[in-house]
């Protein structure tokens, strides 16, 4: 008889053979993690050769940029302005972010759209600014519960992609990753179902082929955790995760990183 561990290993080897991809594991710390807490977290994570990106709050980002780089972790801010400088109290600019050696920018998170009036018009300016400044931009899109239930989610997602990625050339699109985050699945503990994720990512990829003539990578976000990551990551149309809650716990985050290498 085969024991469970070797059976488990066999399944993973088989899965790995058919799906050779390295998923992207992005953590959005939101308004969590002081510098001290971030340092403790990074010490537990150690060095990694996986595709890991962390979006810490600004203060933690500034003070731990070197620590993240040392460990092979990519990093960037959760927001940025589309102008280089000026009288915009509370904002942060691309030159400030560049100074920290960031490679990635997060744009259009639903919390920023919802609480800080970030419109598609503003986002379009941010995306152009980010990619033309040489960064990889992770653009978040997602529908709310009402749009999901009424079937209007396709229109909403199409609208966000068209408006937010307007005026980008073919070459500039190389620097854009999409994070599909259904608003109703964020922070609820219940992710979208595998069927919903597959259907939505397939729709997005088909839509991109139609309007851009190519596909962009799509991360899924919304209650991803160490228990559902394998199943979600095994979908061929999922290129990685954008993780909130589970990215704050080093043990959970490490498990997801391990899964990203195995899938
Ligand atoms: P949760 O993983 O906590 O649901 O958050 C998802 C998210 O908003 C990541 O940007």
């Amino acid at each position: 008889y085969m024991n469970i561990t070797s059976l488990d290993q066999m399944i993973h080897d088989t899965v790995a053979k058919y799906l050779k991809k390295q998923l992207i594991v992005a953590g959005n710390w939101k308004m969590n993690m002081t510098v001290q807490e971030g340092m403790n977290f990074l010490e537990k994570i150690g060095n990694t050769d996986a595709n890991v990106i962390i979006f810490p709050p600004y203060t933690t980002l500034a003070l731990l940029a070197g620590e993240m780089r040392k460990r092979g972790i990519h990093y960037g801010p959760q927001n940025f302005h589309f102008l280089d400088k000026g009288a915009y109290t509370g904002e942060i600019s691309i030159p400030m972010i560049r100074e920290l050696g960031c490679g990635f920018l997060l744009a259009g998170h639903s919390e920023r759209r919802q609480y800080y009036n970030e419109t598609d018009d503003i986002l379009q300016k941010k995306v152009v600014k980010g990619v033309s400044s040489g960064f990889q931009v992770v653009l978040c899109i997602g529908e709310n519960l009402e749009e999901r239930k009424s079937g209007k989610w396709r229109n909403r997602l199409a609208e966000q992609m068209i408006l937010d990625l307007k005026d980008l050339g073919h070459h500039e699109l190389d620097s854009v990753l999409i994070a599909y985050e259904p608003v109703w699945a964020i922070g609820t503990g219940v992710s979208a179902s595998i069927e919903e994720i597959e259907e939505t990512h397939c729709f997005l990829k088909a839509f991109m082929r139609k309007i851009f003539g190519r596909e962009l990578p799509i991360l899924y976000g919304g209650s991803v955790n160490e228990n559902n990551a394998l199943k979600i990551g095994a979908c061929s149309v999922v290129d990685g995760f954008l993780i909130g809650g589970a990215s704050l716990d080093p043990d959970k985050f490490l498990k997801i990183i391990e899964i990203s290498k195995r899938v």
Side-chain angles (χ1 to χ4, degrees):
Y1 293 106
M2 196 178 271
N3 68 33
I4 293 296
T5 322
S6 56
L7 185 61
D8 194 42
Q9 190 56 50
M10 243 182 74
I11 293 168
H12 288 142
D13 290 350
T14 310
V15 169
K17 226 166 81 185
Y18 285 97
L19 299 164
K20 274 208 195 92
K21 58 174 181 176
Q22 273 248 343
L23 296 170
I24 295 164
V25 182
N28 173 11
W29 283 354
K30 309 190 179 183
M31 198 174 71
N32 299 289
M33 289 281 198
T34 62
V35 175
Q36 187 58 61
E37 288 165 345
M39 193 60 231
N40 296 343
F41 177 96
L42 292 177
E43 272 167 7
K44 289 206 176 137
I45 296 295
N47 294 349
T48 181
D49 56 359
N51 298 323
V52 181
I53 312 164
I54 297 181
F55 296 103
Y58 300 132
T59 50
T60 305
L61 175 67
L63 287 168
L64 296 185
E67 292 294 333
M68 288 188 279
R69 185 156 4 142
K70 224 167 64 187
R71 289 168 169 77
I73 296 171
H74 302 276
Y75 54 89
Q78 298 166 15
N79 180 37
F80 58 99
H81 202 281
F82 54 83
L83 294 175
D84 280 343
K85 59 179 176 177
Y88 300 96
T89 303
E91 290 292 317
I92 190 156
S93 75
I94 290 286
M96 297 164 189
I97 290 156
R98 180 176 284 128
E99 214 172 25
L100 302 177
C102 300
F104 287 81
L105 306 169
L106 191 63
H109 192 278
S110 63
E111 286 148 19
R112 295 218 50 92
R113 292 179 189 258
Q114 198 180 337
Y115 307 139
Y116 304 101
N117 285 327
E118 207 158 275
T119 62
D120 289 312
D121 191 38
I122 294 171
L123 274 164
Q124 190 269 340
K125 293 193 179 102
K126 290 192 178 191
V127 175
V128 168
K129 178 69 183 178
V131 301
S132 65
S133 306
F135 293 88
Q136 297 284 318
V137 177
V138 178
L139 173 71
C140 305
I141 59 172
E143 82 284 359
N144 63 30
L145 188 58
E146 191 267 315
E147 289 159 339
R148 169 58 56 176
K149 282 189 171 158
S150 65
K152 288 192 198 122
W153 58 270
R154 285 186 186 79
N155 300 18
R156 182 67 193 120
L157 297 177
E159 180 183 53
Q160 287 174 332
M161 287 218 289
I162 289 173
L163 297 177
D164 301 352
L165 300 176
K166 200 166 68 187
D167 297 335
L168 287 190
H170 195 82
H171 180 63
E172 289 171 312
L173 286 169
D174 283 341
S175 306
V176 179
L177 296 92
I178 300 293
Y180 167 58
E181 297 207 306
V183 177
W184 46 273
I186 295 177
T188 58
V190 184
S191 79
S193 69
I194 297 295
E195 292 73 25
E196 284 165 331
I197 294 171
E198 273 188 329
E199 185 186 15
T200 311
H201 283 219
C202 281
F203 163 74
L204 289 171
K205 296 218 175 207
F207 186 74
M208 289 174 196
R209 282 197 302 274
K210 198 170 154 196
I211 62 164
F212 304 132
R214 58 176 298 178
E215 292 179 5
L216 304 178
I218 310 177
L219 315 182
Y220 168 77
S223 297
V224 173
N225 59 41
E226 72 285 11
N227 300 316
N228 61 20
L230 184 61
K231 255 195 166 166
I232 296 173
C235 300
S236 61
V237 286
V238 172
D239 301 296
F241 315 109
L242 182 57
I243 308 159
S247 76
L248 301 174
D249 178 327
D251 298 323
K252 293 180 183 175
F253 200 60
L254 263 179
K255 279 187 190 152
I256 301 172
I257 292 174
E258 280 314 307
I259 288 169
S260 81
K261 295 198 263 188
R262 234 167 43 188
V263 164

